Amino acid sequence: MTARVGILISGRGSNMQALVRAGGDAYRVVLVASDKPDAAGLAWAAEQGIATLAHSGKRGEREAAFDAALRGAGVEVIALAGYMRLLSDDFVARWAGRIVNIHPSLLPLYKGLDTHARAIAAGDAEAGCSVHVVTAELDAGDVLGQARVPILPGDTPDSLAERVLGVEHSLYPKTLAEFVKR
Ligand code: GRF
């Protein structure tokens, strides 16, 4: 059975695009929603013929609108892809165990923001990304998959982010396809 996936974004949505492009027998992206009406990824998704929704209002109203649209579209699993808002405990509870996220660090290292700068400052030899289940606690749910890249001499947060993003785009579709089959 092909799982119906909804994606939440806030920005360019390169991970969302990778998920849409890779969707096959395992899952299909049926809705892309954003808290930012001008998110570049929304226009791209609409061009692909995917239903889109933007809601820039207060969190309660925004999440109610997302929840209604996701349920209306028959979504079974939500993938966060650069969605830069904290979800309320209530929203997470309503979708318990059915929301996943990609985070640009090797969790449990570097939860939260500025992950690449923190990995470089710590002198780490490796960085990477993690796909994890979303729970009420930030970046703390079960890790479903990880990909690693080296940190090279002279790396800046931007150069490292670009290297990590390259592996995000293959890790996320692969991990989501495995997750929806569980
Ligand atoms: C990625 O680095 C992802 O790991 C993080 O936010 C960024 C989103 O980038 N959660 P994009 O919008 O998917 O291009």
Side-chain angles (χ1 to χ4, degrees):
M1 228 187 65
T2 305
R4 297 173 73 82
V5 167
I7 303 184
L8 304 188
I9 64 170
S10 294
R12 65 195 160 180
S14 71
N15 277 289
M16 176 273 294
Q17 295 188 26
L19 289 172
V20 168
R21 289 202 175 96
D25 288 347
Y27 71 86
R28 189 157 68 87
V29 177
V30 296
L31 179 74
V32 176
S34 180
D35 59 313
K36 296 253 190 301
D38 59 353
L42 272 186
W44 183 88
E47 279 166 22
Q48 314 308 307
I50 299 169
T52 61
L53 170 72
H55 198 294
S56 55
K58 289 190 185 136
R59 184 166 76 172
E61 291 163 20
R62 183 174 67 237
E63 289 186 352
F66 287 177
D67 189 67
L70 290 159
R71 289 179 195 282
V75 165
E76 299 161 284
V77 170
I78 299 173
L80 307 183
Y83 184 65
M84 298 306 288
R85 303 278 189 160
L86 287 177
L87 292 170
S88 67
D89 290 354
D90 182 52
F91 186 92
V92 173
R94 271 182 283 143
W95 289 88
R98 296 194 292 146
I99 311 176
V100 296
N101 179 43
I102 187 156
H103 181 75
S105 79
L106 296 170
L107 289 173
L109 291 175
Y110 313 127
K111 295 173 181 175
L113 298 175
D114 300 323
T115 55
H116 304 304
R118 288 153 69 199
I120 291 169
D124 294 353
E126 280 187 324
C129 53
S130 308
V131 176
H132 65 94
V133 177
V134 172
T135 58
E137 196 185 334
L138 182 70
D139 301 329
D142 282 354
V143 171
L144 302 167
Q146 291 185 317
R148 295 166 181 273
V149 300
I151 298 180
L152 302 176
D155 257 338
T156 63
D158 283 349
S159 65
L160 180 56
E162 200 180 319
R163 193 173 310 119
V164 172
L165 204 57
V167 296
E168 289 183 30
H169 295 163
S170 51
L171 177 73
Y172 208 176
K174 184 182 80 172
T175 310
L176 181 62
E178 286 163 5
F179 179 73
V180 298
K181 282 191 217 138
R182 302 206 313 196

